[in-house]
Amino acid sequence: MILLSAQNISKTYMERRILDNASFFLNEGDKVGIIGINGTGKSTLLKILAGAEEPDSGEIIRTKGVRISYLPQIPEFEEHGSVLEQVMLHLPSDLKQAKEFEAKSILGKLGIADCTKDISSLSGGERRRAGIAAALIQPSDILLMDEPTNHIDNETVQLLEEQLKKYRGAIVMVTHDRYFLNSITRKIVEVDRGSLFEYDGSYSTYLEQKAQREADAEAKERKNRTLYRRELEWIRRGARARGTKSKDRIERFHELANREKPVETEKLQLQSVSSRLGKKTIELENISKSIGGKKLISDFSCILPRNARIGIVGHNGAGKSTLIKMLVGEIQPDSGAITIGDTVKIGYFSQECESMDPSQRVIEYIRETADHIQTPDGTVTAAQMLERFLFTPELQWNRIEKLSGGERKRLYLLKVLMTAPNILLLDEPTNDLDIATLTILEDYLSNFNGAVLAISHDRYFLDKMAAEIWELTGSGTVSRYNGNYSDYAVKVLQNADTPEKPEKQSEKKERTFVGKKKLKFSFKEQREFETIDDDIAGLEQQIADTEKQIAECSSDYVKLQELSDRKEELENQLAEKMDRWVYLNDLAERIENGEMI
């Protein structure tokens, strides 16, 4: 049964067409993950489905009586009121008493024990958890969630997973958390250039299906390019438009010339750029820090290795950001010392993101840091770096106010990297960044010539990036564990639902290439490839000679029929040869490119 449908919807935002005649259908029990590059319209689509925004055109149909619960990126509460009151604010009055125990239970599981305190006193992460609780207790047939894992810690993410697995209605959520997508969703919808592309299965299945779709499109385009070259040669030799077949062939040539080519998938290109880092990096000597009477870090010492890859985890409020800010020098430890080497150049990605002038143009914002940068491939200008970050020349001259929240985060990340740091301190870099950006950032960090410390709740990111985990317990202790997040989870959390650890690169590589060999012609195909051009030319000449005989044989109807039959047979042979020619030339191109089988 269809619960909700969006048919042929279009939406323009700040002069940008983000949804273009797109359609979406939601059935009972569907678990859908919406993904796409920042700025493509994911949140807008969710708002339209929730009824928080209207499309410019198209139709939204909701089954009569269907109930929708919606969690926006920024939960909407009144300025004051107790947490419990605000969580139950939109409940029907006859349900509030019955739902009070459930609301308290969910808030407790999400780490908010005191339901009586004023909503205005909550931190950003706590407000997020309160918003999740409000969405979960709302009686609903459809649960719409926009980035539900942003600004919450790993334990809360896992609790949310457990709650969503129990939810019996349909779920549609925008999220970049790839383990979360794999655990919850059974369908992926990708928003790309105003269109929606659906893939059945989890995120892992989506990756396989998308790769196959792109490979099929490229194979089809290779065949069309090959056929176009052949037809172009025929046209240049002086195509005669006598006869239906020749006319059809000329029309086919024009169709090939004007064909719609597959759009190349946009990919971020981040080249690892850093300054020289000497032997002395950052040394922490017996540092301690308390805030509001709470001991966050107590007597912690460490010498940061030059190639460190450290993931920092812990509950919200445990002191993760405080530790990073002490390394940057924004706040000072209560005791102990932090010594920074003379060659250290820190690149700091703040969770809050720096203040941006909304009237400033995108390219001007980057040029404030550097107009050009030296990369392993040579000098790259600010405009070229912006293009590599998916900011087209048109977008570069847009004002920052026209960018989505995710696009601003991507722009901020570029500015940090443009400083060519040799130590990167990243505070929640995975919040608001799309999966495409995260994937390339992970590759960038793997090749980065320096140290990286990253606070993140994204388990997939920590598995890819980290070689060591620091856990801040909130009681002053900083515990250190070798390995990535999955190793840490096995050692410390002992959680049976911990995501399966990704294979080591050596294992992946071995499995990928075992039994593969270079593509090549068989002996028969090689001989056929060498002679097929002459064969086609011969058939074309025979057809031309037959057409000439038909023109000269106007009175002998028996002979005319024989010649017509002969011409049709030759044209069929030519069509078969042309198909074979396309196959062999496509194979030759793949062999030349060194493809494996």
Side-chain angles (χ1 to χ4, degrees):
M1 174 182 169
I2 295 180
L3 299 178
L4 181 153
S5 67
Q7 299 179 29
N8 305 317
I9 60 171
S10 295
K11 185 72 175 179
T12 300
Y13 178 73
M14 300 289 278
E15 301 175 3
R16 294 168 63 184
R17 187 85 157 181
I18 53 178
L19 293 172
D20 188 7
N21 206 36
S23 295
F24 174 81
F25 301 92
L26 184 69
N27 295 296
E28 280 185 306
D30 279 352
K31 303 292 186 288
V32 182
I34 299 177
I35 64 173
I37 293 171
N38 290 138
T40 53
K42 304 184 298 295
S43 293
T44 301
L45 173 62
L46 212 63
K47 288 175 183 177
I48 290 172
L49 297 179
E53 280 192 21
E54 293 297 323
D56 297 335
S57 61
E59 186 178 18
I60 306 295
I61 301 173
R62 300 175 183 88
T63 300
K64 187 176 181 180
V66 70
R67 298 166 300 174
I68 297 177
S69 181
Y70 171 50
L71 172 69
Q73 279 197 38
I74 302 174
E76 298 175 357
F77 296 117
E78 293 182 352
E79 189 174 348
H80 292 288
S82 73
V83 174
L84 184 61
E85 288 171 348
Q86 293 301 303
V87 165
M88 299 196 300
L89 186 64
H90 299 293
L91 280 174
S93 55
D94 59 329
L95 283 179
K96 286 188 176 181
Q97 186 173 355
K99 285 282 186 178
E100 183 174 332
F101 177 78
E102 183 183 350
K104 289 179 178 178
S105 175
I106 292 176
L107 283 167
K109 289 178 181 177
L110 293 175
I112 302 178
D114 185 1
C115 302
T116 62
K117 63 181 177 180
D118 197 89
I119 194 76
S120 63
S121 67
L122 299 187
S123 67
E126 289 173 327
R127 287 178 70 89
R128 188 71 178 164
R129 294 200 292 274
I132 291 171
L136 290 177
I137 66 162
Q138 188 76 24
S140 61
D141 307 295
I142 300 173
L143 180 58
L144 306 177
M145 310 186 84
D146 195 353
E147 297 288 8
T149 63
N150 269 5
H151 308 290
I152 59 176
D153 55 45
N154 294 303
E155 185 175 347
T156 307
V157 171
Q158 291 176 338
L159 286 169
L160 179 58
E161 274 186 23
E162 293 171 9
Q163 293 293 320
L164 293 183
K165 285 176 181 176
K166 299 174 186 175
Y167 182 74
R168 294 185 179 181
I171 297 174
V172 183
M173 63 180 177
V174 175
T175 182
H176 62 258
D177 189 318
R178 288 153 287 184
Y179 279 149
F180 197 71
L181 279 170
N182 256 348
S183 177
I184 303 298
T185 62
R186 295 197 290 269
K187 181 188 290 185
I188 299 294
V189 173
E190 183 178 21
V191 185
D192 186 15
R193 300 176 186 87
S195 298
L196 304 181
F197 298 91
E198 290 193 6
Y199 302 86
D200 288 327
S202 65
Y203 177 72
S204 298
T205 308
Y206 150 77
L207 290 177
E208 296 169 3
Q209 291 179 352
K210 183 177 182 182
Q212 186 60 53
R213 178 169 70 88
E214 291 176 349
D216 291 345
E218 177 55 30
K220 182 179 179 181
E221 175 58 17
R222 264 201 326 265
K223 180 177 178 179
N224 284 335
R225 285 198 305 265
T226 305
L227 187 55
Y228 174 74
R229 288 197 300 268
R230 178 70 205 179
E231 296 299 284
L232 181 60
E233 291 175 12
W234 180 76
I235 288 288
R236 285 173 174 171
R237 287 203 302 268
R240 291 183 292 273
R242 290 182 302 179
T244 303
K245 293 288 183 180
S246 294
K247 289 178 181 176
D248 288 346
R249 190 168 176 184
I250 292 172
E251 289 175 4
R252 181 172 65 177
F253 167 76
H254 290 300
E255 288 174 2
L256 285 167
N258 298 318
R259 71 190 183 277
E260 184 178 346
K261 300 176 180 64
V263 181
E264 185 177 349
T265 303
E266 291 181 313
K267 293 178 182 175
L268 295 173
Q269 301 175 27
L270 282 75
Q271 293 170 305
S272 183
V273 181
S274 61
S275 308
R276 187 188 70 83
L277 180 61
K279 291 183 179 179
K280 189 172 183 179
T281 58
I282 298 178
E283 182 176 346
L284 311 179
E285 187 176 358
N286 304 116
I287 64 167
S288 296
K289 185 67 181 178
S290 298
I291 293 181
K294 181 181 180 182
K295 180 75 79 174
L296 298 177
I297 297 168
S298 178
D299 199 29
F300 178 58
S301 298
C302 171
I303 298 175
L304 191 68
R306 294 173 74 248
N307 62 346
R309 294 293 184 273
I310 297 168
I312 302 176
V313 301
H315 299 300
N316 288 342
K320 304 185 296 295
S321 294
T322 300
L323 175 59
I324 291 287
K325 288 176 180 177
M326 283 194 289
L327 298 180
V328 177
E330 284 192 4
I331 59 177
Q332 298 300 316
D334 298 335
S335 61
I338 299 176
T339 308
I340 297 178
D342 294 335
T343 61
V344 167
K345 189 173 183 180
I346 292 176
Y348 172 45
F349 183 93
S350 168
Q351 180 178 171
E352 293 82 13
C353 192
E354 71 177 17
S355 178
M356 295 180 178
D357 179 359
S359 65
Q360 190 176 28
R361 299 192 186 278
V362 169
I363 194 165
E364 292 169 350
Y365 175 78
I366 292 299
R367 282 176 174 167
E368 282 183 346
T369 300
D371 192 42
H372 63 273
I373 190 169
Q374 195 65 35
T375 75
D377 294 337
T379 302
V380 179
T381 66
Q384 289 170 324
M385 284 297 287
L386 280 164
E387 281 203 67
R388 293 175 178 184
F389 270 57
L390 302 183
F391 291 101
T392 63
E394 295 78 16
L395 269 180
Q396 291 177 24
W397 290 100
N398 272 359
R399 300 189 189 281
I400 289 174
E401 64 186 357
K402 293 187 177 182
L403 301 182
S404 70
E407 286 175 315
R408 294 187 192 194
K409 280 275 190 175
R410 192 195 309 154
L411 184 64
Y412 175 46
L413 174 61
L414 172 57
K415 187 169 185 175
V416 171
L417 299 181
M418 286 287 282
T419 63
N422 48 37
I423 292 182
L424 277 171
L425 305 179
L426 308 175
D427 190 353
E428 295 288 5
T430 58
N431 282 346
D432 302 312
L433 289 182
D434 54 70
I435 291 174
T437 309
L438 288 175
T439 301
I440 304 302
L441 176 59
E442 289 157 1
D443 291 339
Y444 177 92
L445 295 179
S446 69
N447 297 312
F448 180 71
N449 189 22
V452 181
L453 284 83
I455 299 170
S456 181
H457 65 267
D458 189 318
R459 297 158 293 172
Y460 194 102
F461 175 79
L462 290 174
D463 272 347
K464 291 276 285 185
M465 183 280 296
E468 183 179 356
I469 298 293
W470 290 3
E471 181 191 24
L472 276 69
T473 62
S475 60
T477 304
V478 180
S479 302
R480 300 172 62 178
Y481 303 90
N482 287 328
N484 60 17
Y485 182 83
S486 288
D487 296 323
Y488 155 78
V490 169
K491 292 173 187 173
V492 180
L493 304 181
Q494 294 298 319
N495 190 334
D497 293 328
T498 298
E500 185 178 347
K501 182 179 176 181
E503 298 167 296
K504 294 180 180 178
Q505 292 297 316
S506 58
E507 293 171 351
K508 282 186 179 179
K509 187 173 182 181
E510 180 181 350
R511 190 176 69 189
T512 301
F513 294 103
V514 166
K516 288 201 169 189
K517 58 183 180 180
K518 282 188 176 181
L519 188 66
K520 65 178 183 179
F521 279 128
S522 67
F523 177 78
K524 184 178 178 181
E525 286 172 336
Q526 182 67 48
R527 291 290 302 274
E528 186 181 6
F529 179 64
E530 292 169 355
T531 61
I532 195 165
D533 282 320
D534 292 337
D535 294 342
I536 290 173
L539 285 168
E540 288 176 337
Q541 185 59 51
Q542 289 182 61
I543 291 171
D545 292 343
T546 304
E547 288 177 342
K548 185 178 179 181
Q549 292 177 48
I550 289 173
E552 294 170 351
C553 183
S554 58
S555 57
D556 188 342
Y557 293 106
V558 176
K559 182 68 172 175
L560 190 61
Q561 184 62 51
E562 290 176 357
L563 290 171
S564 296
D565 292 343
R566 171 65 174 160
K567 179 173 175 284
E568 184 176 354
E569 182 184 347
L570 289 168
E571 286 174 338
N572 289 335
Q573 291 178 24
L574 178 62
E576 291 176 5
K577 280 289 182 185
M578 286 298 297
D579 287 340
R580 191 64 181 165
W581 184 92
V582 168
Y583 165 76
L584 291 170
N585 276 268
D586 179 49
L587 182 58
E589 187 176 334
R590 293 164 62 198
I591 291 170
E592 187 177 342
N593 292 334
E595 282 195 27
M596 308 289 288
I597 56 172

